[in-house]
Amino acid sequence: MLIDNMSTPEAKNLSTPSPDLSFSGVTAVFGNLALAYGAGVVIPALQREHSDPTRMPRVIVVTLVSISVLFMVLAITGVSVVGCQIPGNLLFAVNGDKLGFKASRGGVILAFLFMQLHITIAFSLILYPALFIMERIILGMHKSAFVLADVVDEEAKESAFAVTETPNEATNADLAKVHDATAEHDSGSAAAYNAPGAYLKVCILRTVVVAIMVVVALLWKDNFTDLVDFVGASSTSTSCMILPIVFYLKTFHATLSKPEKAFAILCVLVTTCLAVYVSYTTGKHLFAPGQANPAIKFPYCPAEYQQMVYTNTTFYSGKKL
């Protein structure tokens, strides 16, 4: 819809405006990207339930590469037709008249329905680990699952060293044993919901959590982009980028090569600096917002292109006169 509506006869003879690059403008994308790649919170659960956990690195690489390709296609397509005037949310852009066109209502509704489908599926998946841990901390459930997981890991290590000649590789029998033990304590976690009154308490807890999230989203609906960037830069980058690398260094520091250690430490430092900076800048917009100029629609463009879409030749010809 964006390409079709922006491909007007007037636009064919115009060049898309280039962005007015600045440090704050470039780093602002960090929070959004961190949230976009925030599915890392479900990786431990996926690995724990995978029939062959040794294949998880391949799964992660293929998934991240596929997501990155889709993001690049989406970004390049948008920039190619509107330049620096590309909106922060394409759905909101095609639903309004900010870019100087009115999109087909049928197409807009269909796009929003697909986005709702995506959010419904992704929301439940991403939120599940947090809800699982909250049920353990607040309701006292699933404690045996964590204990059994540690036991399974120890048994896997012992069997791997005892049976195989290479300590880093387990036989198929060992993998099957670990998988069976994992499945057993997974079923135990599911059985925890069958305890008297447990299901009701879980429903209340999850409803309260979702209600709080809805209230937060409604309170900052006018600054939704800043809210997304703030969450991505603060919590998502911490749980999906910084802490996993720190735990990796803590666990395997004795066997890692110096270049790998140096690269990991560099990633942690750069990510931490960006997370703090973007959390601070977006936090100011959320908790101490200043008086914004309502005439500025495209803040990342040069001053001459900040108020009106570049395809409005009448507006720009009038300014030149």
Side-chain angles (χ1 to χ4, degrees):
M1 285 187 291
L2 179 66
I3 297 176
D4 181 62
N5 286 280
M6 292 299 296
S7 300
T8 60
E10 296 82 3
K12 292 181 180 179
N13 300 322
L14 300 174
S15 299
T16 57
S18 300
D20 185 16
L21 296 178
S22 64
F23 179 77
S24 59
V26 173
T27 55
V29 75
F30 173 78
N32 207 304
L33 285 178
L35 190 65
Y37 287 94
V41 293
V42 302
I43 290 178
L46 292 176
Q47 181 165 353
R48 183 166 56 90
E49 298 178 7
H50 201 288
S51 58
D52 185 4
T54 59
R55 299 178 61 184
M56 277 302 296
R58 185 189 310 170
V59 173
I60 295 172
V61 170
V62 172
T63 303
L64 291 181
V65 170
S66 301
I67 293 174
S68 299
V69 170
L70 293 176
F71 284 159
M72 288 296 294
V73 170
L74 185 64
I76 293 173
T77 302
V79 172
S80 66
V81 293
V82 292
C84 65
Q85 293 183 338
I86 184 171
N89 190 305
L90 292 179
L91 286 179
F92 294 163
V94 298
N95 186 44
D97 57 358
K98 186 177 181 179
L99 294 177
F101 64 82
K102 283 284 187 180
S104 168
R105 295 306 301 170
V108 172
I109 293 173
L110 191 61
F112 270 84
L113 286 176
F114 276 110
M115 176 54 71
Q116 181 61 53
L117 177 64
H118 161 69
I119 292 176
T120 302
I121 298 173
F123 183 78
S124 58
L125 289 176
I126 298 299
L127 196 60
Y128 177 76
L131 294 174
F132 190 87
I133 294 175
M134 291 184 69
E135 291 166 5
R136 175 177 179 264
I137 296 175
I138 298 176
L139 303 180
M141 301 172 62
H142 313 303
K143 291 185 177 180
S144 60
F146 290 87
V147 175
L148 286 172
D150 295 335
V151 173
V152 169
D153 290 340
E154 291 300 325
E155 290 181 354
K157 292 178 182 178
E158 292 177 1
S159 62
F161 277 93
V163 178
T164 64
E165 296 180 359
T166 304
N168 294 327
E169 297 180 358
T171 62
N172 292 332
D174 297 327
L175 291 174
K177 180 180 179 181
V178 173
H179 178 62
D180 293 340
T182 303
E184 182 179 350
H185 80 70
D186 283 343
S187 61
S189 299
Y193 296 106
N194 296 327
Y199 194 76
L200 177 61
K201 291 187 290 185
V202 168
C203 287
I204 294 175
L205 175 63
R206 296 192 176 194
T207 302
V208 170
V209 172
V210 174
I212 293 174
M213 298 176 70
V214 172
V215 170
V216 171
L218 291 175
L219 288 176
W220 280 292
K221 60 182 178 63
D222 295 330
N223 301 91
F224 189 74
T225 302
D226 292 323
L227 177 61
V228 169
D229 291 341
F230 179 77
V231 172
S234 57
S235 59
T236 307
S237 63
T238 302
S239 60
C240 296
M241 300 171 68
I242 299 174
L243 289 181
I245 299 178
V246 171
F247 294 152
Y248 179 74
L249 289 172
K250 179 182 178 181
T251 305
F252 300 103
H253 68 279
T255 58
L256 293 178
S257 62
K258 290 184 179 180
E260 189 173 0
K261 285 183 181 179
F263 181 72
I265 294 173
L266 178 63
C267 289
V268 171
L269 293 177
V270 172
T271 304
T272 302
C273 292
L274 288 174
V276 172
Y277 177 77
V278 177
S279 298
Y280 172 74
T281 55
T282 55
K284 285 199 306 181
H285 296 158
L286 289 175
F287 305 110
Q291 189 66 31
N293 186 353
I296 297 180
K297 299 179 180 179
F298 310 105
Y300 298 110
C301 289
E304 59 181 311
Y305 290 107
Q306 289 184 349
Q307 298 183 17
M308 186 63 64
V309 63
Y310 77 99
T311 55
N312 192 327
T313 54
T314 303
F315 175 83
Y316 288 103
S317 61
K319 289 185 66 176
K320 292 179 180 179
L321 294 176

